[in-house]
Amino acid sequence: MVLLLVILASFLIVCSRATGLEKFDHPIKVNGNLRFLVVGDWGRKGDYNQSAVALQMGKIGEELDIDFVVSTGDNFYTNGLTGEDDPNFLESFTNVYKAKSLQNQWYTVLGNHDYRGDVVAQLSPYLRKIDSRWICLRSFIINAEFAEIFMVDTTPFVNEYFVETEHTYDWRNVMPQKTYTENVLKDLENALSESRAKWKIVVGHHAIRSVGHHGDTNELVERLLPILRAYDVDLYMNGHDHCLEHISDTESCSPIQFLTSGAGSKAWRGDVKGLNREDMKFFYDGQGFMSVQLTPTHVEIAYYDVFGKVLHKWSRSKQLHHIVI
């Protein structure tokens, strides 16, 4: 019974469905800080330096005393999971991220490679019985008091996946595409409009802005970006391109920073275009991950390579607005 309570206490299930999105409450520490790591495009059974990245994540996670890990998708290569009992779940997740600091909750979105497998299995609560760290839903919210993280299922927005014939995708509970994506955006917009968080962070698998192999995702530029700008979202985090990069939203007065962390295993050396764009702050075409440190008034982002070396840092401060009653 005690063990069961400990497992249940490791994550807080839905506290609200008012916006249509499940919300997970993640209490911050007594010191008032929120710290987490972000990694994407990783699940290769430890190969392509996945284990080396995991080792450094464990060290940085201990140093920062992180609260949780965010995964930006493409969790299991090459074609997702075959079912709830697919050994790839243990071989690419449980047996790789073994460091003590990484035993916190993992909040995860799906990537396009995950959609090539049994998506329903990857979303199944059964996987939490195998490894209680694992929380993977299509779209949901992490409520960390002064910060809210909105996890968004971006794969169904990309039209080419619905017409290409090279791969097969698991579109169960997604079709019709137009209705599904409209509902995702409606739920997100409702949640953002109701949010009173000091920091608003949106996470999806696909990039809005990127100079990597895939580049900008036009469907997200057209449909998602206007919503992020309208509700003063601070950070958009993604994977998909196997690199690390930081781009600012210079086309408007919005504060959005586009942060790619898709270098959890196989990287694409030299696959880059448009490095001379004026909104580009940082690009690295090797393996690594990102850390995020937040207080009610300050955010600091850091990127690390496969050796744990800090490659890039960025920070911003906000003033607290006190309401007089």
Side-chain angles (χ1 to χ4, degrees), residues 173-189:
N173 303 319
V174 168
M175 301 300 285
Q177 177 198 13
K178 183 175 184 292
T179 301
Y180 178 82
T181 55
E182 285 177 349
N183 287 337
V184 169
L185 293 177
K186 179 181 177 181
D187 287 342
L188 175 63
E189 187 165 13

Side-chain angles (χ1 to χ4, degrees), residues 212-251:
H213 174 79
H214 296 291
D216 297 355
T217 307
N218 292 331
E219 294 90 342
L220 299 185
V221 172
E222 295 171 4
R223 303 181 65 189
L224 179 59
L225 182 54
I227 295 174
L228 305 191
R229 286 172 171 167
Y231 292 96
D232 293 324
V233 167
D234 298 284
L235 310 172
Y236 178 78
M237 302 175 178
N238 62 273
H240 197 44
D241 274 332
H242 295 190
C243 59
L244 305 172
E245 58 183 322
H246 173 195
I247 298 175
S248 294
D249 188 13
T250 59
E251 295 180 10

Side-chain angles (χ1 to χ4, degrees), residues 271-316:
D271 197 345
V272 57
K273 46 187 175 289
L275 275 178
N276 59 344
R277 56 190 291 174
E278 63 180 28
D279 53 1
M280 169 61 62
K281 304 299 183 185
F282 164 74
F283 179 86
Y284 178 67
D285 57 353
Q287 292 111 338
F289 59 99
M290 178 173 70
S291 70
V292 182
Q293 300 184 64
L294 287 161
T295 72
T297 59
H298 189 77
V299 60
E300 181 177 297
I301 306 296
Y303 284 100
Y304 307 84
D305 68 10
V306 70
F307 303 106
K309 177 184 176 182
V310 176
L311 301 173
H312 173 70
K313 278 189 175 184
W314 173 87
S315 63
R316 170 177 287 164

Side-chain angles (χ1 to χ4, degrees), residues 4 10 16 25 30 55 65 74 83 96 124 145-146 153 178 189 195 203 219 223 236 258 271 283 320:
L4 177 60
S10 68
S16 173
D25 286 333
V30 177
L55 177 65
D65 189 20
D74 275 2
V96 175
S124 173
E145 299 183 23
F146 56 79
D153 184 20
K178 183 175 184 292
E189 187 165 13
S195 176
V203 177
E219 294 90 342
R223 303 181 65 189
Y236 178 78
F258 302 106
D271 197 345
F283 179 86
L320 278 176

Side-chain angles (χ1 to χ4, degrees), residues 106-223:
W106 281 59
Y107 295 108
T108 309
V109 292
L110 297 167
N112 54 299
H113 282 268
D114 300 311
Y115 264 98
R116 295 179 189 174
D118 185 339
V119 167
V120 174
Q122 195 170 153
L123 298 170
S124 173
Y126 175 77
L127 295 183
R128 297 179 197 166
K129 297 179 182 180
I130 300 174
D131 193 320
S132 62
R133 294 177 291 174
W134 184 256
I135 291 184
C136 182
L137 288 80
R138 294 186 194 272
S139 299
F140 61 102
I141 302 170
I142 307 164
N143 174 34
E145 299 183 23
F146 56 79
E148 283 196 314
I149 306 172
F150 305 84
M151 310 286 280
V152 179
D153 184 20
T154 60
T155 300
F157 285 83
V158 182
N159 294 324
E160 77 171 271
Y161 299 145
F162 291 85
V163 296
E164 69 155 295
T165 57
E166 183 179 356
H167 303 104
T168 300
Y169 294 85
D170 182 359
W171 297 129
R172 283 177 292 173
N173 303 319
V174 168
M175 301 300 285
Q177 177 198 13
K178 183 175 184 292
T179 301
Y180 178 82
T181 55
E182 285 177 349
N183 287 337
V184 169
L185 293 177
K186 179 181 177 181
D187 287 342
L188 175 63
E189 187 165 13
N190 287 341
L192 286 170
S193 68
E194 294 175 4
S195 176
R196 297 296 177 265
K198 188 67 177 177
W199 300 100
K200 298 176 185 177
I201 301 169
V202 175
V203 177
H205 177 63
H206 295 78
I208 294 179
R209 300 296 189 198
S210 172
V211 299
H213 174 79
H214 296 291
D216 297 355
T217 307
N218 292 331
E219 294 90 342
L220 299 185
V221 172
E222 295 171 4
R223 303 181 65 189

Side-chain angles (χ1 to χ4, degrees), residues 41-46 50 74-78 88 92 97 265:
D41 303 81
W42 41 267
R44 298 182 186 272
K45 301 179 181 179
Q50 182 193 0
D74 275 2
N75 309 307
F76 302 101
Y77 284 95
T78 294
N88 196 12
S92 290
Y97 301 103
S265 58

